[in-house]
């Protein structure tokens, strides 16, 4: 489906240029000292002295040997790049991974419980129109103001530029993120065929020659296997052209023939699984994002992780839903879109394929492995309705920090131990920033857990412990957001040590931690 010409994103790029560069590379001594404190912070009263002394010996040797040289290399890299972490982060955390994208990397999102139409084809038509409207307003015409932290500080918009027309192409040793700025079409999956229109799936059925069957399952394989199969596909000119249409699309739409009822927790989990992994044979996991449309109007998404972090996709989704609410009117009885009949000039086509039998046969041999990965996944959903963020804000506490403390308490109740915990903080205050690590398990959170489980404690002591833990967590979050945390610095040191062949046991232990 053709949707318009792509113009340069001038306003977006101008905003990106105005964002501050990544702060200077941290002093290596302060980073490593802070790291050691954080590692042993989770057991302040009884940490293992032997392990601490061993770690101290490693980090002192690191500081006295290869550490300064590696940090100097990072400093030089920071002079030559807008962000000394992001390119390595995308390459080594995402693109170099050889695991399947399904479940391991891609993530899912669900729409709202209340939907404006339960007529599936009408709802997805309105939703896709809203996506394209947002894209035009924000990325082409520059009419959408940038998102700002506390409504004051603009965040780097780099990731938004890659929201459309981006595909993760598999490679033997490393994948490539391919961004097609000239993309003007959408790939629509329905049953066993690929099309370029929202409504045409009800008008005709594909011929046997045009069916792709379980070809999308190739994207659920390990990256080496999919790269090999993809090379075979591209050896045929017709198949290469059809594959290019899939990979160059603005985004994908999967028209699901099954209804979804996300009001009930059990049904919400079922629809969440359809968005996260589907059958393992229907979602094209390489694509920047795929809209999953149920037959009764519920919407979900499957999102490839390399091009952007979850907060970016969440923001786009919220904006799209607002546009749909304001600009699309559905008939309350039939669910169809109200308005004047407009003759569509959309170009529609079913992709053609030549001799897919051998490729499909190779993929068929892996379907049991894909099915096992899906079966081995445990996914649950908790509906908490006693109070929400508005109530927490009345306490003058951070809703996010409250949730993190709840995780710490729950984890201890289940496992009877404290665990090192990762939470992502946005690093988009700086140009091309992605995320930084918040280490949520701290002395303060441990004290809160202890107070909550102490039968001799009282509510006032527990409130005080909670407030102290939340305050400490909020401070950690601020440090992470302004470039004063330790993990991305240590990650960059690990990459530099590998590239310069300057390995050290301290960094090896950090990678395993």
């Amino acid at each position: 489906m053709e949707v318009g010409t792509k113009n340069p994103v001038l306003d977006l790029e101008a905003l990106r240029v105005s964002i501050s560069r990544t702060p200077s590379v941290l002093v290596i001594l302060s980073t490593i000292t802070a790291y050691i404190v954080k590692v042993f912070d989770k057991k302040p009263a009884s940490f293992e002295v032997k392990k601490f002394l061993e770690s101290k010996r490693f980090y002192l040797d690191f500081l006295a040997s290869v550490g300064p040289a590696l940090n100097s290399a990072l400093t030089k890299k920071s002079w030559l790049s807008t962000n000394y972490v992001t390119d390595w982060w995308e390459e080594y955390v995402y693109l170099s991974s050889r695991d399947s994208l399904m479940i391991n990397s891609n993530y899912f999102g669900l729409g709202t419980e209340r939907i404006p139409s339960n007529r599936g084809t009408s709802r997805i038509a309105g939703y896709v129109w809203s996506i394209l409207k947002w894209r035009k307003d924000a990325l082409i015409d520059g009419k959408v103001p940038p998102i700002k932290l506390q409504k004051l500080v603009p965040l780097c918009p780099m990731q938004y530029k890659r929201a459309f027309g981006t595909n993760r192409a598999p490679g033997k040793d490393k994948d490539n993120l391919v961004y097609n700025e000239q993309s003007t079409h959408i790939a629509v999956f329905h049953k066993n065929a690929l099309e370029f229109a929202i409504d045409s799936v009800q008008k005709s059925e594909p011929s046997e020659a045009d069916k792709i069957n379980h070809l999308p399952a190739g994207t659920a394989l390990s990256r080496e296997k999919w790269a090999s199969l993809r090379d075979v596909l591209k050896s045929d000119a017709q198949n290469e052209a059809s594959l290019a249409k899939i990979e160059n699309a603005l985004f994908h739409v999967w028209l699901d023939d099954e209804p979804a009822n996300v009001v009930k927790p059990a049904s919400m989990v079922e629809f969440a699984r359809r968005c996260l992994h589907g059958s393992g044979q229907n979602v094209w996991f390489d694509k920047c994002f795929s809209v999953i449309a149920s037959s009764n109007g519920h919407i979900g998404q499957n999102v490839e992780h390399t091009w952007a972090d979850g907060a970016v996709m969440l923001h786009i989704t919220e904006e799209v839903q607002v546009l749909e609410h304001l600009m699309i009117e559905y008939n309350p009885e039939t669910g169809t879109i109200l308005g004047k009949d407009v003759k569509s000039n959309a170009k529609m086509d079913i992709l053609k394929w030549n001799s897919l039998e051998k490729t499909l046969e190779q993929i068929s041999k892996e379907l049991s492995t894909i099915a096992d990965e899906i079966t081995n996944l445990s996914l649950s959903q908790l509906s908490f309705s006693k109070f929400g963020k508005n109530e927490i804000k009345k306490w003058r506490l951070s809703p996010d920090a409250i949730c993190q403390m709840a995780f710490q308490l729950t984890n201890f109740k289940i496992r009877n131990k404290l665990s090192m915990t990762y939470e992502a903080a946005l690093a988009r205050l700086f140009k091309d920033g992605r995320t930084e690590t918040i280490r949520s398990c701290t002395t303060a959170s441990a004290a809160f857990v202890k107070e909550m489980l102490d039968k001799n404690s009282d509510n006032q002591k527990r409130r005080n412990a909670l407030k102290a833990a939340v305050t400490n967590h909020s401070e950690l979050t601020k440090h992470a957001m302004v470039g004063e945390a330790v993990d991305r610095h240590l990650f960059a040191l690990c990459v530099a040590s590998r590239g310069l062949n300057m390995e050290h046991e301290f960094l090896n232990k950090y990678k395993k931690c």
Side-chain angles (χ1 to χ4, degrees):
M1 178 179 179
E2 301 293 330
V3 295
T5 304
K6 181 77 173 63
N7 295 323
V9 192
L10 297 177
D11 291 348
L12 203 65
E13 183 62 23
L15 174 61
R16 174 182 170 273
V17 171
S18 70
I19 301 291
S20 301
R21 290 165 60 94
T22 306
S24 301
V25 177
L26 294 174
V27 177
I28 193 169
L29 176 61
S30 63
T31 289
I32 295 178
T33 302
Y35 168 68
I36 293 295
V37 171
K38 290 177 184 295
V39 168
F40 292 98
D41 195 29
K42 65 180 186 297
K43 294 183 179 179
S46 59
F47 65 77
E48 302 170 33
V49 175
K50 182 179 179 181
K51 186 179 291 187
F52 173 75
L53 292 176
E54 182 183 67
S55 297
K56 183 178 180 181
R57 176 173 62 83
F58 280 131
Y59 94 75
L60 287 176
D61 183 72
F62 177 71
L63 290 173
S65 56
V66 300
L70 293 175
N71 212 51
S72 176
L74 293 186
T75 300
K76 292 173 182 176
K77 184 176 188 291
S78 72
W79 296 340
L80 301 173
S81 59
T82 57
N83 192 300
Y84 77 91
V85 176
T86 294
D87 57 341
W88 284 352
W89 184 255
E90 292 181 354
E91 179 176 352
Y92 292 105
V93 173
Y94 294 111
L95 298 176
S96 294
S97 173
R98 303 292 80 201
D99 294 331
S100 165
L101 298 186
M102 183 188 75
I103 299 174
N104 299 308
S105 182
N106 286 27
Y107 59 93
F108 74 93
L110 298 179
T112 56
E113 292 182 4
R114 294 184 179 181
I115 55 176
S117 171
N118 58 9
R119 189 173 187 269
T121 52
S122 295
R123 175 73 204 286
I124 189 59
Y127 192 80
V128 166
W129 182 91
S130 301
I131 293 176
L132 298 176
K133 171 66 174 171
W134 182 88
R135 171 180 173 266
K136 183 177 185 299
D137 289 349
L139 304 185
I140 298 177
D141 297 339
K143 295 179 181 179
V144 177
I147 187 170
K148 295 182 179 180
L149 189 66
Q150 300 294 326
K151 299 182 180 180
L152 294 172
V153 184
L155 302 180
C156 180
M158 178 270 292
Q159 297 176 43
Y160 290 90
K161 184 178 180 180
R162 303 188 296 188
F164 299 92
T166 299
N167 188 75
R168 178 168 167 173
K172 182 179 179 181
D173 300 313
K174 183 183 72 172
D175 293 355
N176 290 303
L177 198 64
V178 182
Y179 168 54
N180 188 339
E181 193 171 13
Q182 304 304 319
S183 178
T184 59
H185 67 274
I186 299 166
V188 181
F189 292 70
H190 180 247
K191 294 184 178 178
N192 291 327
L194 270 162
E195 311 193 13
F196 291 101
I198 298 300
D199 292 324
S200 64
V201 292
Q202 295 188 348
K203 298 176 182 177
S204 63
E205 290 293 330
S207 66
E208 285 298 321
D210 300 327
K211 289 185 177 181
I212 62 171
N213 295 305
H214 50 269
L215 181 62
T219 65
L221 303 179
S222 68
R223 303 310 287 169
E224 302 101 320
K225 290 179 180 178
W226 172 226
S228 177
L229 289 169
R230 181 173 173 271
D231 287 342
V232 173
L233 274 177
K234 292 178 67 177
S235 64
D236 178 273
Q238 177 63 66
N239 292 345
E240 183 179 24
S242 293
L243 187 64
K245 282 288 188 180
I246 297 173
E247 296 182 340
N248 294 336
L250 288 169
F251 57 92
H252 290 177
V253 173
W254 166 254
L255 297 177
D256 197 335
D257 287 332
E258 297 297 322
N261 180 9
V262 300
V263 176
K264 297 180 180 179
S267 298
M268 180 178 283
V269 170
E270 188 270 337
F271 188 52
R273 296 189 76 110
R274 281 153 63 183
C275 295
L276 177 60
H277 52 66
S279 65
Q281 304 176 33
N282 60 321
V283 178
W284 200 275
F285 294 104
D286 291 356
K287 197 59 201 163
C288 49
F289 70 93
S290 299
V291 179
I292 315 298
S294 70
S295 63
N296 63 341
H298 284 285
I299 298 291
Q301 294 166 333
N302 181 280
V303 188
E304 200 280 313
H305 211 325
T306 310
W307 65 271
D309 300 305
V312 171
M313 195 65 212
L314 177 61
H315 177 228
I316 293 174
T317 301
E318 288 180 342
E319 295 270 328
V320 167
Q321 289 177 342
V322 169
L323 277 174
E324 183 188 20
H325 175 73
L326 295 176
M327 304 190 73
I328 304 292
E329 185 178 2
Y330 297 93
N331 187 310
E333 296 181 359
T334 64
T336 57
I337 296 176
L338 297 175
K340 296 180 180 179
D341 291 333
V342 178
K343 185 177 180 180
S344 173
N345 59 356
K347 179 183 177 182
M348 298 172 283
D349 193 16
I350 295 179
L351 293 182
K352 306 295 182 181
W353 304 88
N354 287 331
S355 303
L356 288 178
E357 291 81 6
K358 290 184 178 180
T359 301
L360 293 175
E361 183 180 353
Q362 291 298 314
I363 295 175
S364 294
K365 296 177 182 178
E366 305 289 341
L367 293 181
S368 60
T369 301
I370 295 173
D372 288 343
E373 290 185 21
I374 292 174
T375 302
N376 290 336
L377 173 69
S378 176
L379 181 64
S380 300
Q381 179 257 340
L382 172 66
S383 294
F384 185 83
S385 57
K386 291 183 179 180
F387 57 86
K389 66 177 183 180
N390 292 331
E391 180 65 25
I392 295 174
K393 288 179 179 179
K394 293 178 182 178
W395 310 341
R396 296 188 176 182
L397 297 176
S398 161
D400 170 71
I402 289 289
C403 290
Q404 292 299 323
M405 295 311 110
F407 296 156
Q408 295 299 321
L409 178 59
T410 304
N411 178 70
F412 191 89
K413 284 183 174 181
I414 294 173
R415 296 180 173 84
N416 197 33
K417 67 176 183 177
L418 296 165
S419 305
M420 294 182 67
T421 310
Y422 170 90
E423 181 190 2
L426 64 85
R428 286 163 48 219
L429 287 172
F430 304 103
K431 190 178 297 181
D432 299 344
R434 293 288 301 247
T435 60
E436 177 56 277
T437 299
I438 305 169
R439 291 175 174 257
S440 305
C441 187
T442 63
T443 302
S445 67
F448 163 69
V449 170
K450 180 180 178 181
E451 204 67 53
M452 288 296 293
L453 299 178
D454 185 353
K455 295 180 180 179
N456 297 320
S457 184
D458 56 50
N459 286 342
Q460 187 57 50
K461 290 180 179 179
R462 289 166 178 161
R463 287 193 194 97
N464 292 340
L466 175 61
K467 185 175 181 180
V470 167
T471 300
N472 181 66
H473 185 85
S474 297
E475 286 299 312
L476 292 177
T477 302
K478 291 176 184 177
H479 284 298
M481 291 174 64
V482 299
E484 295 177 358
V486 302
D487 283 276
R488 294 301 177 268
H489 185 196
L490 288 169
F491 162 78
L493 288 169
C494 289
V495 176
S497 72
R498 179 180 175 184
L500 297 174
N501 196 25
M502 299 170 68
E503 299 282 343
H504 193 276
E505 188 62 24
F506 171 75
L507 294 178
N508 291 334
K509 284 185 173 293
Y510 168 73
K511 286 185 284 188
K512 296 175 182 177
C513 187

